[in-house]
Each structure stands twice: as C-alpha cells, then as structure tokens.
Amino acid sequence: MMQEHLIKVTNVSKSFAGVQALKNIDLTIKRGEIRCLAGENGCGKSTLIKIISGAHVPDEGDIEINGKHYKRLHPIEAIREGIQVIYQDFSIFPNLTAAENIALNSELAKNRRFVNWKRVKSIAKEAIRKIDVNIDLDAKVENLSVADKQLIAISRALLQNAKLIIMDEPTTALTQKEVNALFKVVKSLQQKGISILFVSHKLDEVFDLAEKITILRNGQNVIDGDTSQFDKEKFVYYMTGRKISESHYELQQESNQCLLKVEKLSQKGSFYDISFDLYSGEILGITGLLGSGRTELAMALFGLNPADSGRIYVEDRLTEIKTVQDAIKNRIAYVPEDRLTEGLFLQQSIGRNIIISTVEKLLNKYKLIDSEKMNIQINHWVKELNIATPSTHLPVQALSGGNQQRVVLAKWLATNPKILILNGPTVGVDIGSKTDIHQIIRELAQQGVGVIVISDDIPELLHNCNRILIMRKGRIVGEFGGKSITEKELAHQLSAT
Amino acid sequence: MSVQINKQREIKSFERLKDLKAFHFIIEDSNLTRLFLIMIFIFVLMTAMKPELFPTIDNLSSMAFQFPEFGILAIAMMIAMLTGGIDLSIIGIANLSGILAALTMVKLIPEGSSFNHVMLVILLAMAVSALTGILCGLFNGFAVARIGIPPILTTLGTMQLFTGIAIVITKGTAVYGLPAQFSYIGNGTLWILPIPLMIFIVFAAIFTVILHKTSFGLKLYMMGTNPTASRFSGINNAVMLMKTYMMSGLLAAFSGLIIIARTNSAKADYGTSYTLQALLVAVMAGVNPNGGFGKVTGIVFAVLTLQFLSSGFNMLHFSNFFKDFVWGAVLLIVMVTNYIINHSKKKVSKNTNK
Amino acid sequence: MKKILSTNEFLVALIIIVLSIIIGSKNSVFFTAGNLIDLLRSGIVMGIFAIGVLIVIVSGGIDVSFTAIASFCMYTTTKVLNYYDFQGSVLIAFVLAGAMGLILGLINATFISFFKLPTLIVTLGTASMYSGFLLAFVGVREISNLPAGMSKFAKMNILKVTSENGVVSSLHFSILILIAVVIITWLLLRYTMLGRGIYAIGGDRVAAERAGFNITAIQFFIYGFVGLLSGIAGIVHTTLMRNSNPVNLLGMELIVIAAVVLGGARITGGHGTVLGTLLGLFLVIIMNNSLILLGVPSYWQRLVIGILILIGTGATAYRTMRSSRQLHRNSVG
C-alpha cells in the first residue's frame, strides 16, 4: 500500500567540527506537495538538503523514503528513490548541447557504454515536451539563458523518475516572466504527483506557490505549517527570531547640492536616454527586472563599461568616466552585485580587502606601505562597521555573508566617497546584518553622501529610499517618492510589460 | 542583546571555519618552514656523505656561481605566476637579450680599445640587454592583457618567437669574444663573494620589497587572487599585467647577462631546459599556479635545495642526468607531502571535534 | 551553413588552403606527390602525439610528459630487444613500448587523481623524472643498429614516388597506425560514454561528479591512453628515423600542444575535435617543412612557428573576448 507521505525525516541531527548544524529536525513531505523550506543563511537549509540527497550522513535520526528506512542514505540510493536536487548552478555542462545535457545523466544511470545520438535527441525532445516548454536542443548550453538552463536541469531531473525535486533558490536569476513560467511548470509537476521542496526566502514567492512552509533557525525546526497560517510578519519573525521595525527614510532637509546629474545616457543594447539627478543626502532607489539595464547603468556610471553617449555631471562639472580610476577620482564608489566574485578577494585577509582601493594613501615618504598607517586604517573600519572577527589577518572567506558585505562597504567607505552606488546591498545577507547595513546607508546619506541603491527587494527600496526610479527595457519609466507608493503598486509597476 | 548573541555565534562559526578551511597564510608559512627544513636536511645529508668535499669553501663558492642565473629566472617565473599566468619565454628573452648585448660589445670594441671605452660599451650593452628584456616583456603583457591570449599560449608562442629572432640574428651560431672586464660579472668575486651571487641577493631583496612593501605588490597579489574583484576595486589589470611581464622580462635579461658573462659566449639555444626547471622551482617554492600566493623566500629555499642536490650528486659521481630525475622526484614529493599534511590537518580537526 | 563557416575547423582549413596556394605559386615542388608524401610522413609521429594531447586538453588538463614517455619507451625497448638479440616481429616492440608507456601514464594519473595535483605540475615533474632516469640509467648513446623486426618494419612502405630528379619519397606503413588511432579516438570521443565523460569533466568537473561519472577512472584512462599512444609513437619514430635516439624527441611537446590549440581545442577544457587537431597539426607541419621551398633559410623556422602560434591563438582569443563581452552585456541585468 502506498503511503501518503513520500519522505519522512525524523529526529535528524548533524554537527560539523563540534558545531551543531542541525538539531532534532523532523520533516515530512507528502506526494504531490509543494513545500517551502525557509531560513536565514547558515540556518541549516543546505545541510538538510544534503542529508536528504545522501551527500551528508546524519549523526542520528531516521530517513524514511517510500516506506523504506535509511540510517545511511547513499547518493545513489537517493537518486533511485527519486530524489533530485537542482542546485543553484544547475550542474550542467556549458560545452555540451542542450539535448545531451538533458539525456546524459539518465543514460549514465542506465549504465550505457555507447552514445546513440538519435536516442539522445528523442529522449530530450520527450523530456521538454513533458514540461511543455521550448528549448533549442542543438544549441550549446553556454549560449542559452539562465531560465533555459534551469528548464534543462528540471527536465533532466524528470527523466530520472523524480518523485521529489529539491530546488535551491531557483528564482534568484530569473526575470518575473521567467519566474511565472517556472511556477507554471512546478504546478504541472505537482499534478503529476511529484513533490517539490522549494528553498527560498522571498516572501511573495513562497506565499504564491507553497502549500506548506518549514522554517529553520539555528539548525532547529522552529515552525511547520500551512501557508495560510502565515502572514508576512510571522514569517519574518520565525526566520530571524526578532521583530523588524520598519520605518521610512526621509530627507532631513531639501538639499540643493546636486552631486550627480546624468543626461541622456545611452549604451547600445543596454539602456537608453537615462536622465536623473542625485542630491546630497538622498537615497535614490533604482529598480527593474533582470535585463532592465539597471546593472549596466551602474557599471557605466562606475566606468566599468562606459556609456556610448550622454553626459555625466559630477557636482555640476561635466565629467568623463571612462575607467574605474576616473570614477574613483570623482569620489564615486560601487558595491557590486556579486560579492563573492566581484567584491572580494576571498582567500586574502580581511585587512588587505579593506585597504586595497586606498593603498596609495598609506605610503610613507619612500613610497613604501606604512604598516602603522595601514593597521590604523584597517582597525578603524573593523570597529566602525562592527565587523565580527577575531583577527584581521583571517581570509575574508571565513566571514559570514553579512560581515563580508561590511568588508566590501569598508573598502569603499575608506575612499571617502561622495556618491555611493550599491547594487543588491543585502542579497544573501542575514536579516540582522541587513538592518545594520540599512542603518549604515542611512547614516551615510545623513552625512551628505548621495546614495544609489539598486535592488529588486521591494521592501528594502520602500523603507530606505526617498525616491525610486523604475527601469524597464533599458529606459526609466517611472519615478516615485518612497512614501507615495505601496508595495503592491511597485511590484505591479515592476512586472508590467 | 540579540546583537551580542549574534556576534558570539559568528565568532563561534569562525573557530569552526578556522579548523575546516585551508588557511592560506598559516599553511603557506608552514609549507615554507617545511621547505626550509628540507633544504637544511639535504645540506646535512650531503655533508655527511661527502664531508671532505661538500661543505668546503671551494664547493660553496662554485655553487654560488652556478645557481644565480637560474634563481633570477625562477623569480621572473614567480612574478608571472603571481598574476595567475606563467612565463615560458624567460629563457628565450635571456638568450635574445644576451645575444644583443654580446653583439653590441663585439661590434663596438675594436682591438686595443681604451679601458674607459670598454667600460662605456659594457654599460651600453647592459642597457641594450635590459631594454630588450623590457620590450619582450611588454610584448607578452600586451598579448595577454589587450588581446586576451592565455598566458601559457602567449609565452609558448613568444618563446619560439624570441628564440627564433635570436637564431635569425646569429644564423644559429654562437657569439664569442666578449671583453675580459665583462666576464668579471659572471666569474669575479668581491672579497669572497661571487658577483653572480651578489646580483641574485640584490634582486631577491628588491623583489621582496616590491612584493610586500609597495602598493604594486599588494595589487599584484590581489589581482592574482581575483582579477574581476581587482577590476571592480579600481586596479587597472591591463597595466598591472604589462608591468609584471615587463619585470619578468627585465629579470630574464639580467639572467641572460650573467649567463653570457659566465660562459663568455652567447647562444640562441642556451639552457633550453631552464624554462621548465624555473617553473619547477617556483612550484616547489609554494607559488600557487592559480595566482595570488608565493614569496621570494620560497624561491631562495627551493633553488638552494636543488643546487645542494645537484652538487652533491655530482660529487657522488652520479650521472648529470640523474639530477633531472631527482629534481622531478623532489617536486612531486614536496607537492604530495603538502597535500597529505594539509589534507590530514583538516581531517584530524574534524574528528577531534566530534 | 553559417554555423559551419564560423567554426574553427573551417578557419584553419581556409588558412591551410590559402597558404598552400601561396607556397605552391612560389614553388611548384609543393604540389608534387613527393612533397605531399613527405609532409604526411613528417606528421605521423606528431599526429599520434597530438591525438593524445587533444584528449588531455579536452578534459581540462595539460600533459608535457609525452615526449619523455615516448623517448623512454622506444629507447628502452630497443635496448632490451637488442640485448636479447631478438629476431621476432615488430609487434613485440610495440607491445613492450606500449605497455611501458601505459604504466608511465598511469603513474601520472596516480598523482593527478589521488593527490589532486595540477596536471601541468605533475607531468612537468614526471617528464623530468622519466627522461632523467632514461639518460642516467638506461643510456645516452644513439642506437643505430635496430632489432631485426624493427629494421624490417622500417622498410615497409605502402607507397613510393620517384620525382623527376630521382629523389624517392615513400609513405611509410605507420601512416595506417595514425589513421587507426585517429578513427578509434574519434569514435571514442563521439560515441562512447567514456568520451562524453572526458568532455563533461572538461566542461564542469563538479557537475560531472554529480552526474555520476567516475572521475578517477576517467582520469586513469586519459593519462594511461596518452602513455600508450606515446609508447607507440616512440617506436614509430625510431623506425622512421632508423635509429633510436633518447633525446631528439624532447622539446617537441610544446609544438604539439600549440598545434592542438591552433586546431581549436581550448586550453581551459571542454572544447576540441579530432578534425580540428589534424588541421592544426597540418598547418604547423606545412609551415615547418615549406620554408625551404619558399627560399627562406631553415633557421627562420622557430620565428615563423612563433608568429604562427601568436596569430592563431590571438585570433581566437580576440574573437572570444569580443563575443563574451557581447554576451556579458546582454545577460547581465
């Protein structure tokens, strides 16, 4: 007799090097259920996923899948039981065609020695037909969009008789349209009786899609229940363990000092006719979907990829910004979107990461680095931004997401910027640090810095920006005061076509 | 209150990470210590086996003449590797610049020239050599930074190109007849210190300071660690790359000068095995082939270790080729030991904490 | 159609054709059967090496030890067979050298797979060890008196052409060995799971592991196979030269790698084809052998090869840099 639940995890604990990553976790997933697994970074979500997929062996507890009990679940067994994980990087091969990527794993699982290209193609065709999407199967995957790559990963999972598909933050890199398409696919999977475990901390998504929510905090299961039991406040409370007070940022006084004036800035294929002003003390939000040109605009302002035409005035002076060095000279700073690859030198020390953009100011009269000045500078910023670390000699990769972001901020604040551009300032940062970072941004603005926050985190924009620009298809299509628009309206504006 | 708890939690997660993650600084230094001990061990071993020959002034001084040309090439290789690249063309640069310097001297010093004239031409020849090295390096840097050819392919090509130019200039023959004053650079001593050794010490010192005490050095390490982040931090990667390859070329040119001074001739295909050996020294010294980590001290230890080994084997009447075998073996042993030790460190800390 | 025109293979083929026309118009000897046969003949050994290098580069590694392995195998085999005054077939020489090559290749694989050391460093180290061992313990003197089977094999030609002025060019039997190696490798890469695994590792190693490929086994295959091919190439080299020289193959490795890269294999792994490799190799051989026909002294060879490598890799690098910039612009939000 078939049980109602597909997988039942009972009392699972796991620790690494003496730190308890999971403690007495229970999790049951029914057939055809869509469940959301939420929690801040480091709460144990990924450890739990790894245990379910057999990549980690729990210290204690029981895993029951399809009525069979496992103390030690091997990855192969997990796959045989129909458990498929879709990782954030999708685990696909950029150098192979879409068809081969879809068919390869299942052919491998069948222990095939030889490749029959006709079969590969027909398997792939069948697989994408099942989820009713259209992908160029002969294209090399490196030339496909993120959404297509994800669909490839999903159809590949289905080929392996998936009964439970685990998706690790699947919407991070998708546009709203693509997210909608993905949700349609997920719902159709559900109708086929396939269960979905959906890892996310984006509220609207979770409420949109999931039937059940499980929230982890500090390795413990803090709540488990129907989506209908939750509201936003409750969700945040369980994730963080504290209530977040929300306030609006307001300009203290109208300033007439225009720090940055952009006129008709265009870059072919990215953005067109962008004009706006940024005044001292302002926090200006820029939002738009992925592909709206918001990141390209930021990169153009910072000299990483200069615009083709248009004018930039910094403090009323017409200025050419062709390189990052030009931008820094004009006291512009940029906290990039991807902290790990663009912002930090992971294996290098916290100290070196903080001073790298200001090292020229730390030289003595022989043009050599003055260690004393250097240490003063480093310690100043560690203290100023509350970076929690036992030593500044540790590599920055040892820090948590929130502290890493503070290091990136410290690097730029050390350059004493007049204009600070932050792209996704709190992506992948736990809610505690998020509040701190917002506080820092506000204080900077109050000191007269002009801040631009690029984000698709709607509450973040509403609470911290006194003005918000909306970009769509490379153009600015709207401007709102931070208080004059509600979350719903802004979300609607964002996804309108 | 909650902030405090948060912090404690973070500090705790540090301790965990400290055990788990390969901490480059600590590991880098412990690898260096190990290399130092290996060097001492080899020295002691050779002394024990040939007490009457190995630790003598004669032998020490002959070793001090042999390794500098090679040690300087290894430093050149190292700084290219710090960027995450490689420079296979160094011996090509050394030979080409050596040949141009030699030709300058041979052509401009007629028989019976005055001492002053000779010295002037020697200085000119050194300038020609240095300029050649810098230009070759600039060419490498340009191809890597502006055209985007992977360093290994760029320098593979320029190795052929520079050697090719040298062959075309000399039609494949050697250049002889360098002035005696010049060969002092390769064979002379100051008090008891061989000139090549002193040149090596000077360069090792200069590059230690450049790498650890200047903003260029800091930027070089950072760029080697993550070129994207360095671009986003306002470092001009292209300029950094070109400067680095120019330095590498300059070092190679000086090595070339020592070579022609020591052998009293210049040849296009001298020391073809030096390229791979310099790479071997750099890797053994703990220079990370992916960039960002490596120290001059490591180069000094590694190059001395290999010199002790080959001198010792010479005295033990092993074939010259046996040296190649041992060098290869030492490289692999060092790498495997580092791997095993760093690996078991992680494992032990995992188990003890359970 | 557009796809074919923009492939690297097409580009290299085009260069070869243009180059051939230029050389042929300067000197009509180029298009004579004799010259073409000489070109083929000089490509046999490098061809076998290049196929091995291709597989390694596709998997994301690099191997600089294959010439050392080849020298080791051919010289030791010759010496051993001579010592026993062996009169039998050349097959034994191939088996012996192949087996030795296989073992040396597997030693490479052990370091690469078990100790996770970078392939360049491992093969650099083992190359130094293999050739050092050979020269220190096996011998350094050239052997011109080959074992009976090998010298008989040396005379096995499948085609002989005598030109007007009486110069004889002959196509040696071992071209068939190259053809066999090419076909087997092509089938392997295209139609076996093992071959796809090699591409998969080169494309994304972690993903390959998750997909269930046995990385260790594949790496042992790759480096073992290269070792085997090197051993065979060594014997072919000896028979073509009609002597066994322990050093004259050393130093060829970088040219072979250059040829494979010119043929479109990416040094970062995951990309490369057998056809492209052969074309890249052919281009290098034409340049290597045709300077004299153009009236250029042979000491210009290195310089020309250097320029060829730089232009070839530069063109591809420049193209990918531009297209990735384009892609970057379009994909970043």
Side-chain angles (χ1 to χ4, degrees), chain C residues 20-83:
Chain C
S20 302
I21 291 172
I22 294 174
I23 300 170
S25 68
K26 293 261 176 199
N27 191 330
S28 58
V29 174
F30 182 79
F31 282 115
T32 59
N35 183 53
L36 294 178
I37 285 177
D38 283 344
L39 286 181
L40 281 180
R41 185 186 164 99
S42 58
I44 296 174
V45 174
M46 273 176 95
I48 302 175
F49 282 146
I51 293 294
V53 169
L54 168 71
I55 293 185
V56 175
I57 290 186
V58 166
S59 78
I62 193 156
D63 188 338
V64 292
S65 72
F66 57 90
T67 52
I69 294 181
S71 306
F72 188 98
C73 296
M74 71 172 185
Y75 191 77
T76 312
T77 303
T78 317
K79 209 153 185 190
V80 167
L81 293 185
N82 269 348
Y83 181 80

XYZ file of all heavy atoms in Angstrom, chain C residues 20-83:
472
model
N 48.763 27.103 -48.881
C 49.215 26.151 -49.895
C 49.301 26.815 -51.258
O 50.262 26.613 -52.005
C 48.259 24.958 -49.971
O 48.179 24.330 -48.736
N 48.292 27.632 -51.554
C 48.292 28.299 -52.862
C 49.492 29.238 -52.970
O 50.194 29.268 -53.981
C 46.961 29.056 -53.070
C 45.835 28.040 -53.223
C 47.044 29.952 -54.300
C 44.449 28.641 -53.246
N 49.731 29.976 -51.886
C 50.875 30.903 -51.914
C 52.177 30.132 -52.113
O 52.978 30.455 -53.002
C 50.939 31.716 -50.596
C 49.717 32.639 -50.501
C 52.231 32.534 -50.549
C 49.615 33.370 -49.181
N 52.371 29.102 -51.281
C 53.618 28.349 -51.390
C 53.726 27.683 -52.759
O 54.767 27.723 -53.405
C 53.715 27.286 -50.271
C 53.678 27.969 -48.895
C 55.006 26.486 -50.402
C 53.525 27.005 -47.745
N 52.607 27.110 -53.208
C 52.605 26.412 -54.494
C 52.907 27.340 -55.660
O 53.584 26.968 -56.615
N 52.425 28.601 -55.542
C 52.676 29.520 -56.649
C 54.129 29.991 -56.669
O 54.651 30.390 -57.694
C 51.721 30.710 -56.563
O 52.073 31.468 -55.423
N 54.774 29.953 -55.507
C 56.187 30.351 -55.454
C 57.088 29.193 -55.904
O 58.158 29.414 -56.461
C 56.572 30.746 -54.018
C 55.901 31.992 -53.546
C 56.817 33.202 -53.672
C 56.034 34.443 -53.280
N 56.637 35.667 -53.765
N 56.643 28.006 -55.565
C 57.490 26.862 -55.900
C 56.598 25.671 -56.227
O 55.889 25.151 -55.370
C 58.402 26.536 -54.707
C 59.472 25.537 -55.076
O 59.259 24.691 -55.943
N 60.607 25.631 -54.417
N 56.671 25.252 -57.467
C 55.734 24.218 -57.924
C 56.015 22.861 -57.281
O 55.187 21.965 -57.351
C 55.797 24.100 -59.439
O 57.126 23.795 -59.821
N 57.179 22.738 -56.655
C 57.501 21.464 -55.998
C 56.461 21.138 -54.913
O 56.168 19.984 -54.647
C 58.914 21.524 -55.378
C 59.215 20.281 -54.565
C 59.939 21.693 -56.477
N 55.875 22.206 -54.339
C 54.963 21.995 -53.208
C 53.846 21.015 -53.543
O 53.496 20.163 -52.732
C 54.366 23.326 -52.754
C 53.460 23.192 -51.555
C 53.999 23.083 -50.281
C 52.081 23.133 -51.697
C 53.179 22.939 -49.180
C 51.253 22.980 -50.594
C 51.816 22.884 -49.339
N 53.287 21.156 -54.725
C 52.134 20.312 -55.044
C 52.510 18.967 -55.682
O 51.646 18.236 -56.123
C 51.170 21.069 -55.968
C 50.334 22.057 -55.219
C 50.449 23.422 -55.455
C 49.440 21.631 -54.244
C 49.690 24.332 -54.742
C 48.668 22.534 -53.541
C 48.789 23.892 -53.781
N 53.773 18.645 -55.719
C 54.148 17.342 -56.268
C 53.815 16.252 -55.262
O 53.766 16.490 -54.048
C 55.648 17.257 -56.579
O 56.363 17.499 -55.367
C 56.055 18.266 -57.634
N 53.558 15.060 -55.777
C 53.214 13.929 -54.911
C 54.317 13.687 -53.892
O 54.052 13.419 -52.720
C 52.988 12.688 -55.760
N 55.542 13.826 -54.340
C 56.678 13.583 -53.449
C 56.629 14.476 -52.222
O 56.762 14.018 -51.091
N 56.383 15.766 -52.439
C 56.365 16.698 -51.319
C 55.199 16.414 -50.380
O 55.348 16.441 -49.154
C 56.290 18.128 -51.833
C 56.352 19.134 -50.701
O 57.270 19.082 -49.890
N 55.353 19.994 -50.619
N 54.047 16.126 -50.959
C 52.878 15.857 -50.115
C 53.113 14.625 -49.261
O 52.750 14.574 -48.088
C 51.627 15.697 -50.989
C 51.233 16.991 -51.714
C 50.019 16.764 -52.599
C 50.950 18.105 -50.712
N 53.750 13.620 -49.881
C 54.050 12.405 -49.114
C 55.034 12.716 -47.989
O 54.869 12.256 -46.858
C 54.597 11.312 -50.055
C 53.435 10.745 -50.873
C 55.290 10.203 -49.270
C 53.853 9.722 -51.884
N 56.013 13.542 -48.280
C 56.965 13.927 -47.231
C 56.265 14.643 -46.084
O 56.568 14.429 -44.910
C 58.059 14.828 -47.816
C 59.080 14.022 -48.606
O 59.096 12.787 -48.440
O 59.829 14.622 -49.394
N 55.305 15.492 -46.445
C 54.558 16.208 -45.405
C 53.809 15.212 -44.521
O 53.849 15.291 -43.291
C 53.545 17.177 -46.025
C 54.091 18.460 -46.650
C 52.954 19.306 -47.190
C 54.882 19.247 -45.624
N 53.133 14.267 -45.176
C 52.371 13.272 -44.417
C 53.301 12.495 -43.499
O 53.013 12.270 -42.331
C 51.672 12.295 -45.374
C 50.392 12.790 -46.025
C 49.816 11.722 -46.938
C 49.370 13.166 -44.946
N 54.426 12.087 -44.089
C 55.361 11.276 -43.337
C 55.841 12.010 -42.082
O 55.923 11.432 -40.993
C 56.543 10.930 -44.236
C 57.545 9.987 -43.606
C 58.743 9.845 -44.533
N 59.867 9.277 -43.818
C 60.192 7.994 -43.890
N 59.519 7.169 -44.637
N 61.214 7.533 -43.194
N 56.126 13.295 -42.238
C 56.652 14.004 -41.069
C 55.553 14.288 -40.050
O 55.837 14.706 -38.930
C 57.338 15.296 -41.499
O 56.423 16.102 -42.184
N 54.289 14.037 -40.448
C 53.211 14.286 -39.491
C 52.778 13.073 -38.691
O 51.940 13.191 -37.799
N 53.357 11.910 -39.002
C 52.852 10.685 -38.368
C 53.060 10.713 -36.851
O 52.106 10.589 -36.080
C 53.516 9.437 -38.981
C 53.135 9.321 -40.455
C 53.065 8.183 -38.227
C 53.857 8.216 -41.196
N 54.311 10.912 -36.450
C 54.605 10.863 -35.014
C 53.899 11.995 -34.282
O 53.217 11.790 -33.268
C 56.128 10.942 -34.784
C 56.439 11.047 -33.306
C 56.793 9.714 -35.372
N 54.018 13.205 -34.828
C 53.359 14.346 -34.183
C 51.851 14.133 -34.137
O 51.189 14.552 -33.193
C 53.676 15.623 -34.953
C 54.954 16.288 -34.504
S 55.299 17.705 -35.536
C 54.591 19.012 -34.588
N 51.324 13.478 -35.169
C 49.888 13.225 -35.212
C 49.435 12.347 -34.059
O 48.442 12.633 -33.395
N 50.189 11.280 -33.818
C 49.805 10.390 -32.716
C 49.887 11.138 -31.385
O 48.992 11.061 -30.545
C 50.697 9.130 -32.687
C 50.590 8.383 -34.025
C 50.284 8.206 -31.543
C 51.518 7.193 -34.135
N 50.965 11.903 -31.230
C 51.087 12.719 -30.007
C 49.908 13.674 -29.884
O 49.313 13.827 -28.813
C 52.369 13.562 -30.054
C 53.623 12.803 -29.730
C 54.827 13.116 -30.346
C 53.621 11.779 -28.799
C 55.995 12.434 -30.045
C 54.778 11.084 -28.493
C 55.972 11.415 -29.119
N 49.589 14.335 -30.989
C 48.557 15.377 -30.944
C 47.211 14.812 -30.504
O 46.466 15.453 -29.758
C 48.427 16.057 -32.307
N 46.905 13.594 -30.956
C 45.641 12.979 -30.555
C 45.610 12.786 -29.039
O 44.602 13.061 -28.373
C 45.465 11.627 -31.275
C 45.281 11.853 -32.773
C 44.286 10.853 -30.699
C 44.017 12.558 -33.146
N 46.738 12.331 -28.503
C 46.816 12.169 -27.046
C 46.643 13.501 -26.330
O 45.875 13.626 -25.381
N 47.350 14.511 -26.816
C 47.268 15.835 -26.201
C 45.845 16.381 -26.271
O 45.348 16.992 -25.326
C 48.252 16.808 -26.892
C 47.997 18.243 -26.467
C 49.680 16.416 -26.564
N 45.165 16.112 -27.396
C 43.788 16.577 -27.551
C 42.914 16.066 -26.404
O 42.180 16.826 -25.773
C 43.219 16.101 -28.885
C 41.695 16.286 -29.033
C 41.351 17.759 -29.184
C 41.142 15.489 -30.194
N 43.015 14.767 -26.151
C 42.167 14.181 -25.107
C 42.441 14.838 -23.763
O 41.519 15.191 -23.017
C 42.411 12.662 -25.028
C 41.909 12.015 -26.306
C 41.717 12.059 -23.829
C 42.000 10.524 -26.285
N 43.730 15.036 -23.462
C 44.070 15.659 -22.180
C 43.513 17.079 -22.111
O 42.913 17.474 -21.108
C 45.596 15.687 -21.984
C 45.946 16.434 -20.711
C 46.149 14.278 -21.918
N 43.691 17.839 -23.180
C 43.236 19.233 -23.148
C 41.714 19.313 -23.062
O 41.172 20.139 -22.343
C 43.775 20.011 -24.378
C 45.275 20.201 -24.213
C 43.090 21.364 -24.523
C 45.925 21.062 -25.262
N 41.018 18.419 -23.768
C 39.555 18.410 -23.677
C 39.117 18.179 -22.230
O 38.172 18.784 -21.744
C 38.952 17.334 -24.608
C 37.490 17.093 -24.263
C 39.064 17.769 -26.049
N 39.845 17.318 -21.522
C 39.455 17.022 -20.138
C 39.842 18.148 -19.191
O 39.607 18.060 -17.990
C 40.097 15.721 -19.673
O 41.445 15.949 -19.343
N 40.462 19.202 -19.712
C 40.815 20.334 -18.871
C 42.201 20.248 -18.282
O 42.563 21.046 -17.424
N 43.003 19.282 -18.728
C 44.362 19.157 -18.210
C 45.387 19.549 -19.248
O 45.057 20.084 -20.306
N 46.634 19.298 -18.928
C 47.695 19.512 -19.911
C 48.786 18.491 -19.601
O 48.983 18.122 -18.451
C 48.201 20.965 -19.863
C 49.072 21.263 -21.084
C 48.978 21.259 -18.599
C 49.121 22.730 -21.412
N 49.427 17.999 -20.648
C 50.451 16.969 -20.450
C 51.705 17.385 -21.202
O 51.658 17.606 -22.413
C 49.927 15.623 -20.991
C 50.867 14.472 -20.643
O 52.052 14.737 -20.375
O 50.411 13.318 -20.642
N 52.806 17.541 -20.463
C 54.061 17.866 -21.136
C 55.045 16.700 -21.050
O 56.204 16.845 -21.363
C 54.713 19.142 -20.552
C 53.890 20.359 -20.880
C 54.927 19.013 -19.064
N 54.554 15.543 -20.592
C 55.475 14.430 -20.360
C 55.490 13.423 -21.503
O 56.243 12.456 -21.461
C 55.115 13.718 -19.054
O 53.921 12.990 -19.211
N 54.660 13.615 -22.528
C 54.517 12.528 -23.507
C 55.776 12.291 -24.341
O 56.050 11.160 -24.705
C 53.290 12.759 -24.402
C 53.285 14.055 -25.136
C 53.846 14.159 -26.389
C 52.706 15.187 -24.569
C 53.845 15.356 -27.073
C 52.697 16.391 -25.245
C 53.277 16.474 -26.495
N 56.552 13.344 -24.588
C 57.780 13.086 -25.349
C 58.786 12.327 -24.488
O 59.536 11.489 -24.994
C 58.426 14.396 -25.831
O 58.573 15.265 -24.725
C 57.587 15.051 -26.900
N 58.788 12.629 -23.190
C 59.690 11.900 -22.301
C 59.270 10.433 -22.238
O 60.119 9.526 -22.278
C 59.670 12.521 -20.904
N 57.966 10.195 -22.159
C 57.475 8.820 -22.129
C 57.864 8.105 -23.423
O 58.377 6.981 -23.407
C 55.941 8.784 -21.935
C 55.571 9.328 -20.552
C 55.410 7.367 -22.111
C 54.090 9.311 -20.255
N 57.641 8.780 -24.555
C 57.959 8.160 -25.846
C 59.453 7.825 -25.934
O 59.826 6.713 -26.327
C 57.560 9.090 -26.985
N 60.293 8.780 -25.536
C 61.735 8.521 -25.583
C 62.090 7.334 -24.704
O 62.852 6.449 -25.100
C 62.513 9.742 -25.089
O 62.127 10.878 -25.793
N 61.530 7.348 -23.501
C 61.806 6.271 -22.549
C 61.443 4.924 -23.157
O 62.234 3.982 -23.159
C 60.999 6.519 -21.270
C 61.348 5.591 -20.148
C 62.223 5.997 -19.145
C 60.804 4.315 -20.080
C 62.555 5.143 -18.109
C 61.131 3.462 -19.047
C 62.001 3.875 -18.062
N 60.233 4.845 -23.695
C 59.732 3.562 -24.193
C 60.527 3.071 -25.387
O 60.927 1.916 -25.461
C 58.268 3.692 -24.590
S 57.221 4.082 -23.212
N 60.749 3.951 -26.337
C 61.395 3.467 -27.562
C 62.843 3.088 -27.286
O 63.321 2.054 -27.743
C 61.311 4.515 -28.663
C 62.194 5.717 -28.442
S 62.194 6.766 -29.883
C 63.388 7.970 -29.377
N 63.521 3.877 -26.491
C 64.946 3.602 -26.279
C 65.120 2.346 -25.439
O 65.942 1.479 -25.749
C 65.606 4.806 -25.608
C 67.110 4.705 -25.587
C 67.839 4.974 -26.740
C 67.798 4.341 -24.434
C 69.223 4.885 -26.747
C 69.173 4.240 -24.428
C 69.887 4.520 -25.584
O 71.251 4.408 -25.582
N 64.328 2.242 -24.382
C 64.435 1.060 -23.522
C 64.055 -0.200 -24.303
O 64.747 -1.227 -24.213
C 63.514 1.208 -22.293
O 63.718 2.494 -21.728
C 63.805 0.150 -21.257
N 62.998 -0.121 -25.078
C 62.582 -1.276 -25.875
C 63.703 -1.701 -26.831
O 64.054 -2.882 -26.913
C 61.312 -0.933 -26.680
O 60.302 -0.519 -25.772
C 60.831 -2.136 -27.468
N 64.237 -0.725 -27.540
C 65.316 -1.041 -28.480
C 66.470 -1.724 -27.759
O 67.006 -2.743 -28.200
C 65.841 0.260 -29.138
O 64.739 1.066 -29.476
C 66.650 -0.059 -30.368
N 66.817 -1.158 -26.618
C 67.959 -1.689 -25.886
C 67.682 -3.115 -25.400
O 68.529 -4.005 -25.512
C 68.272 -0.777 -24.701
C 69.737 -0.841 -24.369
C 70.287 0.380 -23.721
C 71.797 0.149 -23.600
N 72.473 1.119 -22.800
N 66.485 -3.308 -24.855
C 66.131 -4.635 -24.329
C 66.128 -5.668 -25.457
O 66.703 -6.761 -25.336
C 64.756 -4.586 -23.636
C 64.225 -5.994 -23.360
C 64.858 -3.811 -22.336
N 65.475 -5.319 -26.577
C 65.396 -6.277 -27.688
C 66.783 -6.589 -28.239
O 67.097 -7.738 -28.572
C 64.486 -5.741 -28.799
C 62.999 -5.619 -28.413
C 62.170 -5.190 -29.606
C 62.461 -6.921 -27.846
N 67.618 -5.556 -28.329
C 68.987 -5.787 -28.804
C 69.760 -6.692 -27.847
O 70.541 -7.541 -28.255
C 69.738 -4.465 -28.946
C 69.577 -3.906 -30.344
O 69.101 -4.614 -31.230
N 69.964 -2.660 -30.537
N 69.545 -6.471 -26.555
C 70.249 -7.243 -25.538
C 69.954 -8.731 -25.702
O 70.837 -9.579 -25.607
C 69.813 -6.758 -24.161
C 70.497 -7.476 -23.016
C 71.793 -7.106 -22.625
C 69.856 -8.494 -22.317
C 72.427 -7.753 -21.585
C 70.483 -9.147 -21.277
C 71.775 -8.771 -20.907
O 72.394 -9.409 -19.869
